[in-house]
């Protein structure tokens, strides 16, 4: 007539249920975040130049209200400069194992994260020319992101340090569509 066996069985069942609850709790995956940062862009302006070039070529954009985006103001108004590329000068990366890797890509990308009705002006500036007297060549693309469409493509040649060139002047309407584009220098 002892109840010791019943008490032992009940205690083991309680411990088993508690263990299963803790195990289930640990195996629950957290809800995955959809986004940390809103990455919206209506238009991209991409400047690329010779991958082995030591020259520093910069992208400058002025919007209709007079905001000026450049390496000095990377985030101005609705415009954002992704990276100020200095040619081969900032292409060297030291890896954790001590080896050095070179990123052979010279590119600056500007994003228009929204649009304002009016005229935009896109310029390039040969900020530092380290390989005189050779010419530097570059390419510019004006891209509409959604739906994807290359609006225009231009090639540019630089010969002098400090040389600045106007690549595009384009006008946007109130819906954010480019309605006029010219290549007047």
């Amino acid at each position: 007539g002892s109840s010791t066996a019943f008490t032992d069985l009940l205690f083991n069942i309680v411990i088993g249920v508690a263990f299963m609850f803790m195990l289930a709790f640990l195996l629950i995956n957290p809800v995955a975040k959809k986004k940390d940062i809103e990455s919206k862009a209506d238009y991209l302006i991409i400047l690329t130049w010779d991958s082995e070039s030591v020259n520093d070529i910069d992208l400058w954009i002025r919007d209709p209200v007079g905001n000026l985006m450049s390496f000095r103001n990377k985030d101005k108004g609705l415009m954002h400069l992704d990276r100020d590329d200095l040619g081969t000068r900032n292409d060297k990366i030291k890896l954790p194992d001590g080896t050095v890797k070179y990123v052979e890509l010279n590119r600056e990308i500007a994003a228009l994260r929204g649009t304002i009705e009016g005229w935009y002006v896109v310029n390039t500036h040969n900020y530092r020319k380290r390989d005189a007297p050779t010419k530097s060549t570059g390419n510019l693309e004006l891209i509409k992101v959604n739906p994807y469409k290359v609006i225009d493509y231009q090639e540019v040649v630089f010969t002098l340090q400090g040389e600045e060139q106007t690549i595009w002047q384009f006008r946007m309407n109130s819906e954010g569509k480019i309605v006029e584009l010219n290549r007047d220098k």
Side-chain angles (χ1 to χ4, degrees):
S2 171
S3 64
T4 307
F6 178 74
T7 307
D8 285 345
L9 179 64
L10 188 59
F11 183 74
N12 286 336
I13 289 174
V14 169
I15 288 178
V17 169
F19 176 75
M20 296 266 244
F21 177 78
M22 288 184 353
L23 184 63
F25 187 77
L26 291 173
L27 293 176
I28 294 174
N29 289 333
V31 176
K33 292 182 182 179
K34 299 224 186 237
K35 293 181 184 176
D36 280 347
I37 299 171
E38 182 67 32
S39 59
K40 179 185 182 293
D42 294 328
Y43 290 90
L44 294 177
I45 299 168
I46 303 172
L47 165 65
T48 56
W49 65 99
D50 305 328
S51 60
E52 297 167 2
S53 174
V54 294
N55 299 329
D56 178 6
I57 302 174
D58 291 321
L59 188 59
W60 291 66
I61 303 172
R62 189 181 71 221
D63 69 7
V65 294
N67 291 319
L68 191 61
M69 187 235 44
S70 68
F71 67 93
R72 293 182 182 152
N73 295 311
K74 294 182 181 183
D75 195 15
K76 199 68 173 172
L78 296 172
M79 303 174 292
H80 177 76
L81 180 64
D82 180 41
R83 178 174 190 253
D84 179 26
D85 199 314
L86 305 175
T88 57
R89 193 166 143 209
N90 63 347
D91 286 350
K92 185 167 84 170
I93 300 169
K94 189 172 184 179
L95 300 176
D97 64 358
T99 60
V100 174
K101 179 178 180 180
Y102 289 91
V103 179
E104 294 181 2
L105 178 65
N106 291 328
R107 175 172 39 194
E108 292 196 3
I109 300 172
L112 301 180
R113 299 170 303 189
T115 57
I116 301 170
E117 185 176 5
W119 284 94
Y120 289 77
V121 179
V122 179
N123 283 11
T124 56
H125 179 232
N126 194 4
Y127 182 76
R128 179 89 58 220
K129 183 153 181 60
R130 295 183 179 94
D131 65 354
T134 61
K135 293 181 180 182
S136 298
T137 58
N139 303 311
L140 280 110
E141 289 180 281
L142 175 59
I143 299 170
K144 177 155 178 49
V145 175
N146 198 4
Y148 180 85
K149 181 180 178 186
V150 176
I151 305 294
D152 198 36
Y153 177 87
Q154 289 291 309
E155 290 185 8
V156 63
V157 177
F158 291 102
T159 54
L160 303 170
Q161 180 168 309
E163 183 178 2
E164 185 174 344
Q165 297 182 34
T166 299
I167 306 303
W168 294 297
Q169 297 176 45
F170 56 88
R171 185 171 62 88
M172 285 202 198
N173 64 12
S174 59
E175 288 95 39
K177 293 182 182 175
I178 296 176
V179 291
E180 190 175 345
L181 182 135
N182 67 52
R183 298 179 190 104
D184 295 342
K185 300 298 180 196

